[in-house]
């Protein structure tokens, strides 16, 4: 169960707004249906009372919005779930926003739904969905109610959550958790075990759906370049649409390399992809490789940590060692 | 004359149709995304009754990328190569009423002078079978724009019940194709689908967005809406990803670019999005400097500029795709509701 409720967050935020400690609140705003919650900036307790929601669809990670929000006057209040807090730290490590202008409240989390996951469970006429104890209850227009176990039906990022621990906050609401055994590399291992042809076919099928909207990049807290190379007409690789299927793969491979060692595995890329492409698997492959080659490392676990890829050590393995091990 | 076949014989009919011309229809996906997408029919494929494909049917007339012309450079000679390939008839099966209406929106852009010959040619070669929506989704609001999903237009409109599929030819093209199916279809009375139509109409009325109104919008609302302060909050968390424009059946902007192949140039056009910072960038820069301005453009175009230039026709067909796909769940319904509310609050404005 969510131990921290909407009311807890509302009270906290109202008090901080009233005392002048913060001037704005980054929060989730209610939509037309249950699942279409929008990230929003609230400026008063009244606005929050009217539209603020905190429920199973409050999954959007606000860390990246802090870059824009901290450029404004005054302090902003942000709520951080465990995975968000890793992005928060990583952004701080990269000096992307001013920590002094943020009041961070840590909130525990035991898994958030998202629109595409719940729609896959009830593709026709989904009216609303909520949590009832250990169950997810989905109300539909034509097929009555569906009751399913909540934990088993979470999106991939939450079923394979790496950590229940909020690693950065000014104040923690509820009880903080621990790093957990996530099994998040199981699927990467399955991909590695495939034959080269099968693996190629797997990615070909997935990436061929890409419409090059760049939502994965736009939402990614590790993608914070002022001007992305793919948006720069002078770069020669700027394309608003796919010109061929090979180029498509290049875009994703380049992006995965660029965020390697900095990706905190927050899962936002896969959540937002309108084509349901499992982008997190590419990034997890890099995390898995980094762990195996340089020892366990989690980007964002600690502010200011030096990532193995930018931190040469004499005991780092040589390419030949890795080849010999036969990693895929 | 209305025709029909049992649902169990649909595949035989589809196979016969694919013999008339290449046939495309919604089929559930393989891999991590099992949602329906338009796929070229091969024997045994199962037509997906899922309501709306993630990408719209506009892809067939206005594809995301299209090669316009190629130049091959050989010494001092430049050879001009025509890569056009839109000269073959094709059949689209299962198009919903909203998507069919979107062709009308696109026609007014691409078929007015100067006519876009690529688009025109694809339109002329396309034969469209529409499908009535027995189970409209919570995100559907086509009726807001006067579209009736119980009477889908097209060359042939189809209805599907648990037991039968009905075919109603609406154009000569449609008649000709149905005639080629011969005995595979049996004649039946038009009135056999009346019950279906009533069911659909009553379901449409019960949808959560059924009361959405266009009253606050239209070609004469420019001054009133342009400087509305609400655009700021509506757009504040927009990622500028352009997903909404890419899945939208009526978004029509494109860019033309040259791709250096190393021994020549491939000149292609690809969709563009008003949500992008590089959109219509010229030497003096991009005319819309902030994301708020770019965001506003998309909705003003659909709800004000387009109707101003097209006899009041809105360029949204209420398909609900942007509602389902936007990463931040911001969309045209939220925009319309918010701006309508404001108009009511300040009755004087
Ligand atoms: S979000 Fe999905 S469709 Fe969009 S660019 Fe990324 S992978 Fe492609
Ligand atoms: S604006 Fe949205 S609802 Fe309207 S036609 Fe486009 S995708 Fe469909
Ligand atoms: S918007 Fe209307 S026509 Fe389109 S799928 Fe929904 S009910 Fe059918
Ligand atoms: S899909 Fe949503 S976030 Fe992306 S550009 Fe459109 S409104 Fe903005």
């Amino acid at each position: 169960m969510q131990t921290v409720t909407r009311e807890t967050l509302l009270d906290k935020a109202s008090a901080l707004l009233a005392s002048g400690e913060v001037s704005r609140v980054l929060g989730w705003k209610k939509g037309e249906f249950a699942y279409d919650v929008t990230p929003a900036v609230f400026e008063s307790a009244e606005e929050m009372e009217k539209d603020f929601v905190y429920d199973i669809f409050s999954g959007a990670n606000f860390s990246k919005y802090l870059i824009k929000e901290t450029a404004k006057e005054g302090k902003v209040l942000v709520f951080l779930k465990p995975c968000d807090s890793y992005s928060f730290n990583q952004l701080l490590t990269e000096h992307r926003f001013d920590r002094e202008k943020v009041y961070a409240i840590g909130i525990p989390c035991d898994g958030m739904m998202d629109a595409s996951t719940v729609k896959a469970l009830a593709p026709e006429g989904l009216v609303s969905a909520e949590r009832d104890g250990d169950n997810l209850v989905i109300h539909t227009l034509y097929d009555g109610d569906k009751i399913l176990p909540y934990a088993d039906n979470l999106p991939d990022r939450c079923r394979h959550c790496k950590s229940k621990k909020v690693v950065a906050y000014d104040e923690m609401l509820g009880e903080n958790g621990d790093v957990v055994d996530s099994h998040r590399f199981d699927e990467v291992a399955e991909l590695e075990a495939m034959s080269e042809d099968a693996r190629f076919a797997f990615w070909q099928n997935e990436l061929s759906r890409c419409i090059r909207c760049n939502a994965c990049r736009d939402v990614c807290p590790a993608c914070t370049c002022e001007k992305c190379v793919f948006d720069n007409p002078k770069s020669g690789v700027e394309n608003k649409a796919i010109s061929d299927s090979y180029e498509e793969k290049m875009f994703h491979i380049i992006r995965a390399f660029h965020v390697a060692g900095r990706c905190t595995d927050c899962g936002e890329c896969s959540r937002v992809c309108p084509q349901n492409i499992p982008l997190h698997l590419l990034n997890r492959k890099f995390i898995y490789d980094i762990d195996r080659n340089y020892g366990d490392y989690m980007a964002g676990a600690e502010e200011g940590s030096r990532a193995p890829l930018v931190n040469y050590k004499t005991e780092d393995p040589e390419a030949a060692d890795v080849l010999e091990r036969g990693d895929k | 004359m209305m025709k029909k076949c049992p649902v169990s014989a649909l595949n035989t009919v589809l196979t016969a149709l694919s013999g008339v011309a290449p046939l495309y229809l919604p089929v559930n996906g393989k891999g991590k995304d099992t949602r329906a997408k338009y796929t070229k029919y091969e024997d045994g494929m199962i037509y997906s009754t899922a309501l709306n494909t993630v990408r719209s049917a506009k892809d067939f007339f206005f594809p995301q990328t299209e090669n316009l012309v190629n130049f091959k450079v050989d010494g001092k000679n430049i050879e001009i190569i025509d890569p056009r390939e839109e000269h073959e008839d094709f059949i689209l099966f299962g198009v919903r009423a909203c998507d069919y209406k979107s062709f009308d929106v696109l026609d007014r852009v691409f078929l007015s002078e100067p006519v876009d010959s690529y688009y025109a040619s694809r339109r002329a070669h396309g034969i469209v079978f529409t499908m009535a929506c027995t189970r409209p989704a919570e995100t559907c609001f086509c009726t807001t724009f006067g579209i009736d999903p119980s009477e889908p237009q097209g060359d042939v409109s189809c209805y599907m019940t648990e037991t039968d599929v009905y075919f109603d030819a609406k154009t000569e093209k449609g008649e000709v194709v149905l005639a080629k199916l011969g005995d595979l279809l049996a004649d039946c009375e038009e009135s056999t689908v009346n019950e279906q139509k009533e069911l659909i109409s009553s379901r449409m009325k019960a949808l959560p967005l059924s009361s959405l109104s266009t009253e606050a919008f239209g070609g004469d609302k420019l001054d009133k809406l342009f400087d509305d302060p609400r655009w700021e909050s509506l757009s504040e968390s927009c990622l500028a990803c352009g997903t909404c424009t890419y899945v939208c059946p009526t978004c029509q902007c494109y860019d033309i670019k040259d791709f250096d192949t190393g021994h020549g140039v491939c000149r292609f056009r690809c969709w563009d999005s008003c949500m992008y910072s590089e959109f219509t960038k010229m030497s003096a820069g991009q005319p819309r400097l902030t994301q708020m301005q770019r965001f506003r453009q998309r909705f003003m175009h659909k709800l004000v500029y387009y109707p101003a230039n097209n006899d009041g026709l809105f360029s949204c067909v209420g398909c609900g795709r942007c509602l389902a796909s936007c990463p931040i769940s911001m969309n045209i319904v939220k925009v319309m509701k918010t701006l309508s509310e404001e108009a009511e609050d300040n009755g004087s404005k």
Side-chain angles (χ1 to χ4, degrees), chain B residues 23-43:
Chain B
L23 168 68
Y24 299 86
L25 77 178
V27 173
N28 287 342
K30 290 200 253 339
K32 296 275 177 188
D33 193 8
T34 52
R35 295 173 301 174
K37 60 174 178 177
Y38 279 98
T39 311
K40 189 168 182 183
Y41 181 78
E42 283 165 23
D43 275 354

PDB file of all heavy atoms in Angstrom, chain B residues 23-43:
ATOM      1  N   LEU B  23      -3.166  -5.616 -50.229  1.00  0.00           N
ATOM      2  CA  LEU B  23      -4.137  -5.283 -49.193  1.00  0.00           C
ATOM      3  C   LEU B  23      -3.414  -4.996 -47.874  1.00  0.00           C
ATOM      4  O   LEU B  23      -2.534  -5.749 -47.465  1.00  0.00           O
ATOM      5  CB  LEU B  23      -5.086  -6.487 -49.020  1.00  0.00           C
ATOM      6  CG  LEU B  23      -6.013  -6.528 -47.820  1.00  0.00           C
ATOM      7  CD1 LEU B  23      -7.083  -5.439 -47.934  1.00  0.00           C
ATOM      8  CD2 LEU B  23      -6.685  -7.899 -47.703  1.00  0.00           C
ATOM      9  N   TYR B  24      -3.784  -3.914 -47.241  1.00  0.00           N
ATOM     10  CA  TYR B  24      -3.196  -3.563 -45.936  1.00  0.00           C
ATOM     11  C   TYR B  24      -4.307  -3.499 -44.905  1.00  0.00           C
ATOM     12  O   TYR B  24      -5.375  -2.947 -45.168  1.00  0.00           O
ATOM     13  CB  TYR B  24      -2.491  -2.215 -46.013  1.00  0.00           C
ATOM     14  CG  TYR B  24      -1.351  -2.204 -46.998  1.00  0.00           C
ATOM     15  CD1 TYR B  24      -1.576  -1.936 -48.342  1.00  0.00           C
ATOM     16  CD2 TYR B  24      -0.048  -2.500 -46.586  1.00  0.00           C
ATOM     17  CE1 TYR B  24      -0.533  -1.953 -49.263  1.00  0.00           C
ATOM     18  CE2 TYR B  24       0.999  -2.521 -47.489  1.00  0.00           C
ATOM     19  CZ  TYR B  24       0.746  -2.248 -48.828  1.00  0.00           C
ATOM     20  OH  TYR B  24       1.781  -2.270 -49.734  1.00  0.00           O
ATOM     21  N   LEU B  25      -4.040  -4.057 -43.737  1.00  0.00           N
ATOM     22  CA  LEU B  25      -5.077  -4.056 -42.709  1.00  0.00           C
ATOM     23  C   LEU B  25      -4.431  -4.118 -41.326  1.00  0.00           C
ATOM     24  O   LEU B  25      -3.266  -4.494 -41.206  1.00  0.00           O
ATOM     25  CB  LEU B  25      -6.036  -5.233 -42.921  1.00  0.00           C
ATOM     26  CG  LEU B  25      -5.613  -6.644 -42.505  1.00  0.00           C
ATOM     27  CD1 LEU B  25      -6.748  -7.610 -42.766  1.00  0.00           C
ATOM     28  CD2 LEU B  25      -4.381  -7.104 -43.220  1.00  0.00           C
ATOM     29  N   PRO B  26      -5.169  -3.727 -40.279  1.00  0.00           N
ATOM     30  CA  PRO B  26      -4.590  -3.780 -38.940  1.00  0.00           C
ATOM     31  C   PRO B  26      -4.405  -5.230 -38.486  1.00  0.00           C
ATOM     32  O   PRO B  26      -5.332  -6.038 -38.579  1.00  0.00           O
ATOM     33  CB  PRO B  26      -5.640  -3.080 -38.061  1.00  0.00           C
ATOM     34  CG  PRO B  26      -6.526  -2.337 -39.001  1.00  0.00           C
ATOM     35  CD  PRO B  26      -6.514  -3.123 -40.282  1.00  0.00           C
ATOM     36  N   VAL B  27      -3.190  -5.526 -38.035  1.00  0.00           N
ATOM     37  CA  VAL B  27      -2.867  -6.861 -37.528  1.00  0.00           C
ATOM     38  C   VAL B  27      -2.108  -6.651 -36.228  1.00  0.00           C
ATOM     39  O   VAL B  27      -1.286  -5.728 -36.127  1.00  0.00           O
ATOM     40  CB  VAL B  27      -1.976  -7.625 -38.550  1.00  0.00           C
ATOM     41  CG1 VAL B  27      -1.478  -8.936 -37.969  1.00  0.00           C
ATOM     42  CG2 VAL B  27      -2.721  -7.859 -39.856  1.00  0.00           C
ATOM     43  N   ASN B  28      -2.368  -7.478 -35.230  1.00  0.00           N
ATOM     44  CA  ASN B  28      -1.666  -7.316 -33.969  1.00  0.00           C
ATOM     45  C   ASN B  28      -0.169  -7.552 -34.150  1.00  0.00           C
ATOM     46  O   ASN B  28       0.236  -8.435 -34.902  1.00  0.00           O
ATOM     47  CB  ASN B  28      -2.229  -8.267 -32.913  1.00  0.00           C
ATOM     48  CG  ASN B  28      -3.598  -7.805 -32.433  1.00  0.00           C
ATOM     49  OD1 ASN B  28      -3.972  -6.638 -32.620  1.00  0.00           O
ATOM     50  ND2 ASN B  28      -4.350  -8.702 -31.841  1.00  0.00           N
ATOM     51  N   GLY B  29       0.640  -6.741 -33.439  1.00  0.00           N
ATOM     52  CA  GLY B  29       2.084  -6.775 -33.619  1.00  0.00           C
ATOM     53  C   GLY B  29       2.759  -7.964 -32.952  1.00  0.00           C
ATOM     54  O   GLY B  29       2.192  -8.626 -32.081  1.00  0.00           O
ATOM     55  N   LYS B  30       3.985  -8.208 -33.399  1.00  0.00           N
ATOM     56  CA  LYS B  30       4.804  -9.260 -32.777  1.00  0.00           C
ATOM     57  C   LYS B  30       5.863  -8.579 -31.916  1.00  0.00           C
ATOM     58  O   LYS B  30       6.202  -7.434 -32.143  1.00  0.00           O
ATOM     59  CB  LYS B  30       5.517 -10.072 -33.871  1.00  0.00           C
ATOM     60  CG  LYS B  30       4.576 -10.944 -34.690  1.00  0.00           C
ATOM     61  CD  LYS B  30       5.375 -12.033 -35.371  1.00  0.00           C
ATOM     62  CE  LYS B  30       5.593 -11.949 -36.794  1.00  0.00           C
ATOM     63  NZ  LYS B  30       5.229 -11.478 -37.929  1.00  0.00           N
ATOM     64  N   GLY B  31       6.423  -9.308 -30.956  1.00  0.00           N
ATOM     65  CA  GLY B  31       7.486  -8.737 -30.146  1.00  0.00           C
ATOM     66  C   GLY B  31       6.915  -8.025 -28.941  1.00  0.00           C
ATOM     67  O   GLY B  31       5.896  -8.418 -28.390  1.00  0.00           O
ATOM     68  N   LYS B  32       7.579  -6.949 -28.532  1.00  0.00           N
ATOM     69  CA  LYS B  32       7.205  -6.276 -27.292  1.00  0.00           C
ATOM     70  C   LYS B  32       5.955  -5.423 -27.450  1.00  0.00           C
ATOM     71  O   LYS B  32       5.395  -4.964 -26.471  1.00  0.00           O
ATOM     72  CB  LYS B  32       8.343  -5.371 -26.824  1.00  0.00           C
ATOM     73  CG  LYS B  32       9.602  -6.107 -26.472  1.00  0.00           C
ATOM     74  CD  LYS B  32       9.544  -6.599 -25.036  1.00  0.00           C
ATOM     75  CE  LYS B  32      10.801  -7.392 -24.727  1.00  0.00           C
ATOM     76  NZ  LYS B  32      10.710  -8.049 -23.426  1.00  0.00           N
ATOM     77  N   ASP B  33       5.582  -5.129 -28.674  1.00  0.00           N
ATOM     78  CA  ASP B  33       4.403  -4.302 -28.870  1.00  0.00           C
ATOM     79  C   ASP B  33       3.375  -5.093 -29.663  1.00  0.00           C
ATOM     80  O   ASP B  33       3.529  -5.305 -30.850  1.00  0.00           O
ATOM     81  CB  ASP B  33       4.776  -3.019 -29.622  1.00  0.00           C
ATOM     82  CG  ASP B  33       3.649  -2.000 -29.551  1.00  0.00           C
ATOM     83  OD1 ASP B  33       2.679  -2.241 -28.799  1.00  0.00           O
ATOM     84  OD2 ASP B  33       3.733  -0.979 -30.247  1.00  0.00           O
ATOM     85  N   THR B  34       2.338  -5.513 -28.983  1.00  0.00           N
ATOM     86  CA  THR B  34       1.362  -6.371 -29.650  1.00  0.00           C
ATOM     87  C   THR B  34       0.162  -5.581 -30.146  1.00  0.00           C
ATOM     88  O   THR B  34      -0.816  -6.153 -30.602  1.00  0.00           O
ATOM     89  CB  THR B  34       0.872  -7.474 -28.686  1.00  0.00           C
ATOM     90  OG1 THR B  34       0.453  -6.834 -27.483  1.00  0.00           O
ATOM     91  CG2 THR B  34       1.975  -8.451 -28.370  1.00  0.00           C
ATOM     92  N   ARG B  35       0.241  -4.267 -30.053  1.00  0.00           N
ATOM     93  CA  ARG B  35      -0.879  -3.466 -30.526  1.00  0.00           C
ATOM     94  C   ARG B  35      -0.966  -3.535 -32.052  1.00  0.00           C
ATOM     95  O   ARG B  35       0.015  -3.834 -32.731  1.00  0.00           O
ATOM     96  CB  ARG B  35      -0.717  -2.018 -30.056  1.00  0.00           C
ATOM     97  CG  ARG B  35      -0.792  -1.897 -28.535  1.00  0.00           C
ATOM     98  CD  ARG B  35      -0.452  -0.506 -28.085  1.00  0.00           C
ATOM     99  NE  ARG B  35       0.882  -0.108 -28.511  1.00  0.00           N
ATOM    100  CZ  ARG B  35       1.377   1.103 -28.348  1.00  0.00           C
ATOM    101  NH1 ARG B  35       0.654   2.032 -27.767  1.00  0.00           N
ATOM    102  NH2 ARG B  35       2.604   1.387 -28.752  1.00  0.00           N
ATOM    103  N   ALA B  36      -2.168  -3.237 -32.553  1.00  0.00           N
ATOM    104  CA  ALA B  36      -2.396  -3.397 -33.990  1.00  0.00           C
ATOM    105  C   ALA B  36      -1.659  -2.345 -34.805  1.00  0.00           C
ATOM    106  O   ALA B  36      -1.565  -1.190 -34.399  1.00  0.00           O
ATOM    107  CB  ALA B  36      -3.890  -3.306 -34.275  1.00  0.00           C
ATOM    108  N   LYS B  37      -1.120  -2.773 -35.938  1.00  0.00           N
ATOM    109  CA  LYS B  37      -0.610  -1.802 -36.902  1.00  0.00           C
ATOM    110  C   LYS B  37      -0.932  -2.289 -38.301  1.00  0.00           C
ATOM    111  O   LYS B  37      -1.101  -3.478 -38.544  1.00  0.00           O
ATOM    112  CB  LYS B  37       0.875  -1.552 -36.720  1.00  0.00           C
ATOM    113  CG  LYS B  37       1.756  -2.764 -36.869  1.00  0.00           C
ATOM    114  CD  LYS B  37       3.212  -2.306 -36.804  1.00  0.00           C
ATOM    115  CE  LYS B  37       4.145  -3.504 -36.906  1.00  0.00           C
ATOM    116  NZ  LYS B  37       5.530  -3.169 -36.933  1.00  0.00           N
ATOM    117  N   TYR B  38      -1.016  -1.338 -39.243  1.00  0.00           N
ATOM    118  CA  TYR B  38      -1.302  -1.708 -40.624  1.00  0.00           C
ATOM    119  C   TYR B  38      -0.181  -2.570 -41.169  1.00  0.00           C
ATOM    120  O   TYR B  38       0.993  -2.239 -41.044  1.00  0.00           O
ATOM    121  CB  TYR B  38      -1.488  -0.460 -41.496  1.00  0.00           C
ATOM    122  CG  TYR B  38      -2.861   0.119 -41.353  1.00  0.00           C
ATOM    123  CD1 TYR B  38      -3.094   1.190 -40.511  1.00  0.00           C
ATOM    124  CD2 TYR B  38      -3.937  -0.441 -42.027  1.00  0.00           C
ATOM    125  CE1 TYR B  38      -4.371   1.712 -40.353  1.00  0.00           C
ATOM    126  CE2 TYR B  38      -5.215   0.072 -41.878  1.00  0.00           C
ATOM    127  CZ  TYR B  38      -5.425   1.142 -41.045  1.00  0.00           C
ATOM    128  OH  TYR B  38      -6.687   1.642 -40.890  1.00  0.00           O
ATOM    129  N   THR B  39      -0.563  -3.686 -41.737  1.00  0.00           N
ATOM    130  CA  THR B  39       0.399  -4.672 -42.206  1.00  0.00           C
ATOM    131  C   THR B  39      -0.072  -5.163 -43.567  1.00  0.00           C
ATOM    132  O   THR B  39      -1.273  -5.218 -43.826  1.00  0.00           O
ATOM    133  CB  THR B  39       0.418  -5.865 -41.215  1.00  0.00           C
ATOM    134  OG1 THR B  39       0.552  -5.349 -39.886  1.00  0.00           O
ATOM    135  CG2 THR B  39       1.553  -6.826 -41.490  1.00  0.00           C
ATOM    136  N   LYS B  40       0.867  -5.515 -44.408  1.00  0.00           N
ATOM    137  CA  LYS B  40       0.493  -6.041 -45.716  1.00  0.00           C
ATOM    138  C   LYS B  40      -0.029  -7.462 -45.544  1.00  0.00           C
ATOM    139  O   LYS B  40       0.629  -8.304 -44.934  1.00  0.00           O
ATOM    140  CB  LYS B  40       1.693  -6.028 -46.657  1.00  0.00           C
ATOM    141  CG  LYS B  40       1.316  -6.357 -48.080  1.00  0.00           C
ATOM    142  CD  LYS B  40       2.468  -6.038 -49.010  1.00  0.00           C
ATOM    143  CE  LYS B  40       2.036  -6.343 -50.441  1.00  0.00           C
ATOM    144  NZ  LYS B  40       3.117  -6.137 -51.383  1.00  0.00           N
ATOM    145  N   TYR B  41      -1.197  -7.704 -46.085  1.00  0.00           N
ATOM    146  CA  TYR B  41      -1.853  -8.993 -45.865  1.00  0.00           C
ATOM    147  C   TYR B  41      -1.136 -10.144 -46.550  1.00  0.00           C
ATOM    148  O   TYR B  41      -0.722 -10.057 -47.704  1.00  0.00           O
ATOM    149  CB  TYR B  41      -3.292  -8.943 -46.380  1.00  0.00           C
ATOM    150  CG  TYR B  41      -4.049 -10.238 -46.161  1.00  0.00           C
ATOM    151  CD1 TYR B  41      -4.560 -10.552 -44.906  1.00  0.00           C
ATOM    152  CD2 TYR B  41      -4.220 -11.144 -47.205  1.00  0.00           C
ATOM    153  CE1 TYR B  41      -5.239 -11.750 -44.699  1.00  0.00           C
ATOM    154  CE2 TYR B  41      -4.899 -12.342 -46.996  1.00  0.00           C
ATOM    155  CZ  TYR B  41      -5.405 -12.639 -45.742  1.00  0.00           C
ATOM    156  OH  TYR B  41      -6.064 -13.818 -45.528  1.00  0.00           O
ATOM    157  N   GLU B  42      -0.966 -11.201 -45.769  1.00  0.00           N
ATOM    158  CA  GLU B  42      -0.522 -12.473 -46.334  1.00  0.00           C
ATOM    159  C   GLU B  42      -1.499 -13.512 -45.844  1.00  0.00           C
ATOM    160  O   GLU B  42      -2.079 -13.355 -44.761  1.00  0.00           O
ATOM    161  CB  GLU B  42       0.883 -12.824 -45.824  1.00  0.00           C
ATOM    162  CG  GLU B  42       1.977 -12.030 -46.509  1.00  0.00           C
ATOM    163  CD  GLU B  42       3.300 -12.107 -45.750  1.00  0.00           C
ATOM    164  OE1 GLU B  42       3.499 -13.085 -44.987  1.00  0.00           O
ATOM    165  OE2 GLU B  42       4.098 -11.177 -45.905  1.00  0.00           O
ATOM    166  N   ASP B  43      -1.645 -14.577 -46.605  1.00  0.00           N
ATOM    167  CA  ASP B  43      -2.618 -15.611 -46.240  1.00  0.00           C
ATOM    168  C   ASP B  43      -2.525 -16.002 -44.771  1.00  0.00           C
ATOM    169  O   ASP B  43      -1.427 -16.220 -44.262  1.00  0.00           O
ATOM    170  CB  ASP B  43      -2.393 -16.871 -47.095  1.00  0.00           C
ATOM    171  CG  ASP B  43      -3.121 -16.725 -48.420  1.00  0.00           C
ATOM    172  OD1 ASP B  43      -3.854 -15.723 -48.559  1.00  0.00           O
ATOM    173  OD2 ASP B  43      -2.948 -17.591 -49.295  1.00  0.00           O
TER     174      ASP B  43
END
